[in-house]
Amino acid sequence: MGHGVPELVLELNGRTWTLDPSRPYTLGRDPQGDVVLDDARVSWRHATISWSGRSWVIEDHGSTNGTFVQGQRIHQLEIGPGTAVNLGNATDGPLVSLSGSAAAAATPQAQPQQQPYAAQGANPGWAAAPQAPQQQAPQAGWQQPQQAQQQPYKAPSIPQQGPGGGAGAPPVYGDRSPTTFHQFSLGRVMRIGRALENELVVSDLQVSRNHAEFHATPDGRFEIRDLGSHNGTYVNGQPIAKGGSQLLGPNDIVGVGHSTFRLVGDRLEEFVDTGEVSFSARHLTVTVDGGKQILKDVSFGVPEKSLIAVIGPSGSGKSTLLKALTGYRPANQGDVLYDNRNLYKQFAELRQRIGLVPQDDILHKELTVKKALKYAAKLRFPADTTGAEREARIDEVLRELKLDIHKEKKVTSLSGGQRKRVSVALELLTKPSLIFLDEPTSGLDPGMDRDVMQLLRGLADDGRTVLVVTHSVAELAICDKLLVMAPGGSVAYFGPPEEALNFFGYDTWADVFSAFENYRDYDWAGRWKGSQHYQMYAADIDAVAPQSVQMPPMQAMRPPKPQGWMSQFVTLVRRYTSVIASDKGFLALMVILPAVLGAVSLLIDSGNSLLPNPANPQTGRIIPNGTATTVLLILAVGACFAGAANSVRELIKERVIYERERATGLSRSAYLMSKVFVLGLITVFQGLLVGVIGFASREIPAEGLVLGSATMIELSIPIMALGFTSMMFGLIISALVKTAEKTMPLLVMFAIIQVVFTGCLFTLNGAVGVNEFSYLMPSRWAVAAAGATLDFNKISPPKEGDGTDPLWEHTVGAWGMDMAALIILGVICGFFVARFLRRHEPEVMRK
């Protein structure tokens, strides 16, 4: 040891290290570190101990679960002989003991400095916040408050008596002690589930009737086995295989629904998420293409049962922040901690505990309130929940939100505030602990604005954490905390709403927003971090160093689906059918449109024959039958337009609903196939109607190529297939556009292009480039298939020197090839629609 340096000996798990002051010592799970700890609660590079030149110092490196001295979480602290440090948990984390020589041990050890912790909604009367300058804008020479001295982080004190837990019970995930204990003897099996015959009954509709089993193995270890659960069994936030098993270590956490379990010796500790959880964001930074930051180092933390409002001008990153907080679009850097659990790394499990109400309604307005919630419950709850269980939960939520008197009304008939309540009700079905709302009061009058905010206040008081992004500043006073975002995506203020205007030095929020606009280059974040408000309300969160998000493999991020594929498909088909059946206008149009399009072809009356004309006796050449090509052109265009019109708005109008349901476990393919199935039936029916009307009164061949005497059906099949494939093209348009208004110009353009490439207006065969391009058009193949039956090479013979069109050959092979190409085009469209749908899913869930 150097002269004057007190000797320091580190002891851990029976091993000792005598520390050299000339170098730092790294503690963590990294095998290349100096002191290696094999404990899941310890981070890879957790902390370092080094000699500062004046004293020994331990520094936490932004560890997930923290470093603790005397039960208090620290960031950097002077230490000495006699100091005891817990890593990863204040009570039972790995214990690092420090000692020295007798002389050194007599040195008074440094104590953790006390950092004030702002309790929820309280202003404990610490030094008054500095008065913000009263000028109407930041002026040159404006003296910012001096940077307050950084204090070591002090976490909220850990309660030693939790609900159902004994005194001093080891906490997990933050401050909470176990809800209850279960004794686990060797050789025993303990089954978990919703059914009463389980040894451990969990009354949670997110849990299957027989969900999982704890097994004690003959060698004294324990394992968890999934029993084919619907919502999955999780170990440390990651799902285990359906029906699979996993051995458990002493610090592994098992997640089942809203409950988590930990084995401590032969005792099974249960932690039930009652909604009273903490939530924090640490150093969130979002960078888009080109390196532009649209969210800059955003940190804040909120205690349980809180209502937090987020306000700021346009371009301040509020929507980006919401996506980062919910995991829809994870931040490029930083962490979101749900009760001290990393949301990004454990999204598959924690997604069930987060509710999100987007700005647009997340339900079908054509349905009644009760029916909309019924279908949502069917999709979100496990397949083994009974109808009675779902009904009971729906009625419970309706009563809580005072919607029971409106349950038989259509959503579209409700007021704006009531519709927002229904959206909230839909999210409350699964009892989320965190609820995020994006502009819930947008477009509402002041009275409804107040009603919605009072509703959110009540949700927080009932044991939930609620965060609302809003433009309205009228009802901010009922919130516990206010987060003000500055232009550019940085934090300008976080703290009690009643102190915010005084902090900015303005009388109204209009003045504050004007200052944001007029002084966009001003360092609002720097002013905030230089204030005493920052020390009181945010410094403890900011003290944790930022970390890059290390995402697990994306395959592991795919959450289990609560329902099987077929069950989801049937539910979606029934819901979609109900939506269509409730729209009388669409039902009428569904019949009238093809009838009118078919009837238009009847105006072409030139002998009514669709057969080849006889040859000219003088020249021997066949006279073209213009009636046949004109009629088929009209019928083909009608089928194209009707099919594409059916689907062109279907995905864009449900985009918000799909995005939310996808995050709760909806199958993309089940959703798409439900659309294809229902719209396909409608479109095929319309194609049959168009074909029957168009061909019934015409003279057609007595014998077809494929169906014999059923020539009219054979001619109608290409028209039906054309309508179906056009419907698939319409789905592509609907998946690509950003607004519903853009669908109509694209629909018209699609129909016009189909007219050009039918082959009825001019000869395509032999036109190099044009003919090959026409193979991408469904109308080309549909007209060719019908033309093969009618023998178009005789009806519209080629000019001298031109060859006959091989697609029009009057053979079974040509007809089969034309139909196969038409179907293949539809399948290819389906593939592209599925790919485009991925863009409207939470980014964390994309493969």
Side-chain angles (χ1 to χ4, degrees):
M1 304 293 288
H3 178 68
V5 178
E7 180 178 311
L8 196 65
V9 178
L10 184 152
E11 182 178 355
L12 173 71
N13 295 334
R15 293 188 59 194
T16 59
W17 291 260
T18 300
L19 304 188
D20 182 352
S22 65
R23 55 169 291 229
Y25 289 79
T26 302
L27 290 72
R29 288 189 291 111
D30 184 0
Q32 304 302 317
D34 301 294
V35 181
V36 182
L37 298 94
D38 185 17
D39 191 301
R41 293 169 295 179
V42 177
S43 296
W44 192 254
R45 281 177 46 84
H46 194 102
T48 57
I49 295 178
S50 60
W51 174 253
S52 68
R54 185 174 64 88
S55 62
W56 288 99
V57 174
I58 184 168
E59 180 179 0
D60 184 279
H61 284 289
S63 64
T64 301
N65 293 319
T67 303
F68 301 85
V69 175
Q70 294 185 349
Q72 308 300 338
R73 187 167 183 168
I74 59 98
H75 171 54
Q76 185 173 349
L77 183 70
E78 294 183 359
I79 55 176
T83 304
V85 180
N86 287 97
L87 304 179
N89 190 290
T91 307
D92 63 346
L95 179 64
V96 177
S97 300
L98 301 167
S99 59
S101 65
T107 305
Q109 89 178 59
Q111 299 295 326
Q113 300 178 51
Q114 299 298 300
Q115 166 70 16
Y117 175 74
Q120 171 193 349
N123 185 354
W126 298 311
Q131 289 296 315
Q134 296 301 314
Q135 62 263 39
Q136 290 304 301
Q139 302 290 335
W142 179 7
Q143 295 298 314
Q144 298 187 22
Q146 292 297 312
Q147 174 72 39
Q149 182 180 356
Q150 290 285 347
Q151 299 290 337
Y153 169 74
K154 174 182 178 294
S157 59
I158 297 173
Q160 295 301 307
Q161 179 70 37
V172 64
Y173 298 155
D175 309 3
R176 291 184 290 128
S177 296
T179 308
T180 186
F181 302 97
H182 309 275
Q183 206 62 33
F184 200 160
S185 56
L186 289 176
R188 186 179 168 200
V189 174
M190 185 176 287
R191 190 168 56 186
I192 307 170
R194 208 172 70 247
L196 297 177
E197 63 265 19
N198 292 288
E199 288 82 5
L200 207 163
V201 179
V202 179
S203 56
D204 178 357
L205 290 183
Q206 295 288 80
V207 176
S208 298
R209 294 186 64 80
N210 297 295
H211 196 104
E213 288 179 342
F214 282 102
H215 281 253
T217 60
D219 59 0
R221 294 192 292 175
F222 297 93
E223 71 174 5
I224 182 73
R225 294 181 185 173
D226 182 84
L227 299 178
S229 65
H230 298 281
N231 275 331
T233 304
Y234 301 82
V235 176
N236 300 325
Q238 300 303 316
I240 64 176
K242 194 167 188 175
S245 63
Q246 184 169 328
L247 284 171
L248 298 175
N251 301 299
D252 287 339
I253 301 296
V254 176
V256 173
H258 286 84
S259 297
T260 46
F261 301 89
R262 181 174 66 176
L263 279 163
V264 179
D266 60 351
R267 187 176 69 176
L268 184 65
E269 298 180 345
E270 179 181 3
F271 301 82
V272 179
D273 185 347
T274 58
E276 299 181 353
V277 296
S278 62
F279 181 75
S280 63
R282 294 180 175 175
H283 302 283
L284 297 183
T285 299
V286 173
T287 306
V288 294
D289 295 338
K292 180 183 178 183
Q293 289 187 343
I294 54 177
L295 208 63
K296 297 179 182 177
D297 197 28
V298 174
S299 298
F300 65 95
V302 294
E304 61 192 37
K305 299 170 65 172
S306 298
L307 174 59
I308 305 96
V310 180
I311 65 171
S314 298
S316 59
K318 299 189 299 297
S319 296
T320 303
L321 175 63
L322 193 66
K323 290 179 180 179
L325 294 177
T326 54
Y328 271 46
R329 199 288 187 198
N332 301 98
Q333 194 176 44
D335 299 294
V336 176
L337 299 184
Y338 171 99
D339 217 13
N340 277 3
R341 302 175 66 184
N342 191 305
L343 174 64
Y344 297 158
K345 296 180 181 179
Q346 303 186 24
F347 181 79
E349 177 185 354
L350 296 180
R351 70 183 175 90
Q352 303 178 39
R353 312 192 187 184
I354 294 175
L356 173 63
V357 181
Q359 184 173 349
D360 297 321
D361 293 326
I362 50 176
L363 31 78
H364 294 85
K365 299 177 184 178
E366 300 87 355
L367 301 177
T368 64
V369 171
K370 184 75 175 282
K371 189 170 282 189
L373 295 180
K374 175 183 170 185
Y375 286 121
K378 179 73 173 170
L379 288 171
R380 296 192 183 195
F381 288 136
D384 62 1
T385 52
T386 64
E389 287 176 312
R390 293 193 297 269
E391 287 273 339
R393 179 59 188 152
I394 291 170
D395 290 340
E396 184 182 346
V397 170
L398 288 174
R399 285 193 300 271
E400 180 182 358
L401 297 183
K402 299 180 176 58
L403 286 169
D404 43 343
I405 59 174
H406 302 296
K407 64 182 180 181
E408 298 304 331
K409 295 180 181 177
K410 284 189 176 184
V411 176
T412 188
S413 68
L414 301 177
S415 67
Q418 290 168 341
R419 280 205 303 273
K420 195 58 65 177
R421 280 178 181 265
V422 178
S423 292
V424 173
L426 190 151
E427 291 299 310
L428 289 186
L429 288 174
T430 52
K431 297 186 177 179
S433 310
L434 280 171
I435 302 177
F436 296 88
L437 300 99
D438 187 11
E439 301 285 358
T441 61
S442 178
L444 302 184
D445 62 49
M448 289 183 179
D449 181 355
R450 176 181 299 172
D451 288 344
V452 171
M453 292 301 290
Q454 292 287 357
L455 166 68
L456 303 184
R457 177 72 264 172
L459 294 178
D461 293 339
D462 287 341
R464 305 174 184 94
T465 298
V466 182
L467 186 144
V468 53
V469 174
T470 180
H471 274 113
S472 174
V473 296
E475 303 296 329
L476 296 179
I478 67 172
C479 300
D480 297 302
K481 291 289 191 296
L482 175 64
L483 176 68
V484 182
M485 300 293 293
S490 57
V491 176
Y493 173 82
F494 177 72
E498 61 271 16
E499 299 177 20
L501 284 175
N502 180 55
F503 170 81
F504 286 108
Y506 294 105
D507 296 326
T508 67
W509 283 108
D511 293 332
V512 174
F513 279 49
S514 293
F516 282 150
E517 181 62 31
N518 296 332
Y519 300 90
R520 298 185 71 88
D521 296 332
Y522 182 74
D523 186 10
W524 295 100
R527 177 172 183 261
W528 157 241
K529 291 188 175 181
S531 71
Q532 190 168 344
H533 279 76
Y534 171 81
Q535 291 300 318
M536 289 195 292
Y537 302 120
D540 53 351
I541 297 294
D542 238 3
V544 182
Q547 301 179 39
S548 294
V549 179
Q550 298 299 320
M551 300 295 288
M554 290 310 290
Q555 187 69 17
M557 297 302 294
R558 296 176 61 197
K561 297 176 176 59
Q563 302 276 333
W565 189 94
M566 183 54 69
S567 177
Q568 286 193 0
F569 172 75
V570 171
T571 301
L572 290 166
V573 166
R574 289 177 58 196
R575 182 176 71 179
Y576 192 26
T577 304
S578 297
V579 170
I580 291 175
S582 66
D583 189 345
K584 302 297 189 292
F586 179 81
L587 288 175
L589 190 63
M590 187 175 75
V591 176
I592 294 173
L593 179 63
V596 170
L597 292 172
V600 168
S601 70
L602 299 179
L603 299 176
I604 310 299
D605 186 8
S606 298
N608 256 358
S609 174
L610 302 185
L611 300 176
N613 286 328
N616 188 320
Q618 296 178 351
T619 63
R621 288 187 55 78
I622 297 174
I623 302 171
N625 182 353
T627 300
T629 54
T630 305
V631 167
L632 208 53
L633 172 65
I634 293 173
L635 297 182
V637 172
C640 280
F641 189 81
N646 285 339
S647 62
V648 77
R649 289 176 177 262
E650 284 308 305
L651 299 182
I652 180 63
K653 75 179 184 183
E654 289 187 2
R655 183 162 296 173
V656 176
I657 298 174
Y658 171 74
E659 182 177 283
R660 182 67 194 119
E661 290 184 341
R662 179 72 175 130
T664 62
L666 180 70
S667 164
R668 182 196 310 143
S669 59
Y671 175 78
L672 178 57
M673 287 306 298
S674 72
K675 295 291 184 188
V676 172
F677 179 77
V678 175
L679 291 173
L681 288 178
I682 292 172
T683 305
V684 166
F685 162 75
Q686 290 177 324
L688 179 62
L689 196 59
V690 168
V692 169
I693 294 174
F695 295 121
S697 61
R698 304 284 182 182
E699 185 181 355
I700 56 178
E703 289 289 325
L705 287 171
V706 180
L707 300 182
S709 59
T711 312
M712 187 168 66
I713 299 299
E714 184 177 316
L715 287 170
S716 298
I717 287 175
I719 302 299
M720 292 188 286
L722 174 59
F724 181 86
T725 304
S726 298
M727 180 270 294
M728 297 301 294
F729 270 91
L731 287 177
I732 287 184
I733 294 173
S734 194
L736 282 174
V737 296
K738 293 184 177 180
T739 62
E741 289 73 21
K742 294 179 180 178
T743 58
M744 293 312 296
L746 292 173
L747 172 62
V748 172
M749 183 177 71
F750 171 76
I752 291 174
I753 291 175
Q754 299 312 304
V755 172
V756 174
F757 288 100
T758 55
C760 297
L761 295 180
F762 58 90
T763 303
L764 290 172
N765 184 48
V768 179
V770 177
N771 187 39
E772 286 73 20
F773 182 73
S774 73
Y775 293 161
L776 299 175
M777 303 299 148
S779 62
R780 169 77 159 118
W781 297 101
V783 169
T789 299
L790 294 173
D791 199 358
F792 258 28
N793 278 326
K794 287 187 177 179
I795 284 178
S796 183
K799 297 177 182 178
E800 288 188 29
D802 292 342
T804 57
D805 192 331
L807 303 187
W808 290 0
E809 290 294 331
H810 187 59
T811 62
V812 173
W815 189 91
M817 181 185 70
D818 295 336
M819 290 301 300
L822 196 53
I823 294 170
I824 289 171
L825 274 178
V827 172
I828 292 173
C829 287
F831 172 79
F832 280 109
V833 175
R835 300 295 295 175
F836 294 147
L837 272 177
R838 289 178 66 253
R839 302 188 311 162
H840 311 301
E841 298 173 3
E843 186 172 315
V844 76
M845 292 180 62
R846 298 178 195 170
K847 294 180 185 177

